[in-house]
């Protein structure tokens, strides 16, 4: 009858087998360690497949506004962004919880820009000095809109204009008066001066 190997021999054999398995697994990877290497500059502008940049359109979640991307064509970025905003979130975006606070518009929304060319991204600060201004002639009275709806309008317009523009919100029937607002870093419409929006 053969003798059983001592306990120490079994433990040694198990350790050797495990070490061989680990060594084979590491050797089978086939990728040599090259260390850290620089990755270069970060990607900017969110390019689409056809080389155009993306628009940023603000919709609403329970936590506040949330920007989504839309493809941009050549031409008026501000008009495209506002049209995408008024069209509302897609079915997929609605399924993810995005909504709009903007009511249906009986008249068109007019958006124009001065003080620079449209393009780029919004800086999202309340103290910028880009010199750009966006004029939004809205078909609703501001007092009838929820603050989230105003934030959607202002932040979508500001993102399309780029920099940190002042957004002038004109109501129907206003004779030259407007609400001067900006989009802050949280995606909310804020007054340019205290008391300028309420």
């Amino acid at each position: 009858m053969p003798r059983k190997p001592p306990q120490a021999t079994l433990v040694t054999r198990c350790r050797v087998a495990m070490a061989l398995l680990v060594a084979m697994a590491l050797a089978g990877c086939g990728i040599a360690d090259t260390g850290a290497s620089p990755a270069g500059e970060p990607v900017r502008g969110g390019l689409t497949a056809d080389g155009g940049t993306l628009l940023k359109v603000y919709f609403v979640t329970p936590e506040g506004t949330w920007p989504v991307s839309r493809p941009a064509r050549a031409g008026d970025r501000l008009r495209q962004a506002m049209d995408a905003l008024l069209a509302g979130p897609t079915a997929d975006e609605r399924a993810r919880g995005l909504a709009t606070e903007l009511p249906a518009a009986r008249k068109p929304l007019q958006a124009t820009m001065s003080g620079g060319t449209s393009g780029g991204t919004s800086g999202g600060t309340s103290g910028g000095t880009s010199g750009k201004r966006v004029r939004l002639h809205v078909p609703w009275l501001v007092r009838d809109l929820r603050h989230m709806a105003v934030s959607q309008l202002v932040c979508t317009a500001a993102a399309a204009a780029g920099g940190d523009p002042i957004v002038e919100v004109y109501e129907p029937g206003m004779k030259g008066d407007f609400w001067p607002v900006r989009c802050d870093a949280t995606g909310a419409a804020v007054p340019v001066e205290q008391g300028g929006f309420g």
Side-chain angles (χ1 to χ4, degrees):
M1 196 164 171
R3 282 185 335 159
K4 290 185 178 176
Q7 186 69 16
T9 307
L10 282 176
V11 171
T12 304
R13 287 183 183 172
C14 286
R15 286 183 182 159
V16 170
M18 289 299 286
L20 286 172
L21 286 174
V22 170
M24 288 182 348
L26 291 175
C29 160
I31 300 174
D33 181 16
T34 59
S37 59
E41 289 293 313
V43 175
R44 299 181 191 273
L47 297 179
T48 59
D50 62 357
T53 58
L54 297 174
L55 298 171
K56 194 184 287 188
V57 180
Y58 283 79
F59 293 117
V60 175
T61 71
E63 289 77 35
T65 59
W66 188 264
V68 299
S69 297
R70 291 283 189 274
R73 301 177 310 276
D76 187 349
R77 290 176 53 83
L78 180 58
R79 176 78 264 154
Q80 291 177 59
M82 300 316 290
D83 287 346
L85 174 64
L86 293 177
T90 65
D92 286 343
E93 290 163 348
R94 287 193 303 273
R96 292 194 331 255
L98 294 170
T100 184
E101 291 285 341
L102 291 168
R106 293 184 206 168
K107 294 181 179 178
L109 182 149
Q110 297 176 0
T112 57
M113 191 177 66
S114 65
T117 58
S118 63
T121 58
S122 173
T125 59
S126 60
T129 56
S130 70
K132 291 182 186 177
R133 288 186 175 258
V134 177
R135 291 180 185 87
L136 287 182
H137 292 266
V138 298
W140 314 279
L141 295 176
V142 171
R143 69 171 180 256
D144 294 338
L145 296 175
R146 297 184 66 172
H147 186 261
M148 286 289 193
V150 177
S151 295
Q152 285 183 261
L153 289 163
V154 170
C155 292
T156 299
D164 182 27
I166 294 174
V167 180
E168 301 172 353
V169 181
Y170 293 83
E171 296 177 305
M174 290 179 80
K175 303 276 192 234
D177 292 331
F178 57 86
W179 299 97
V181 291
R182 281 196 165 103
C183 180
D184 73 4
T186 68
V190 295
V192 170
E193 297 175 4
Q194 290 301 319
F197 179 77

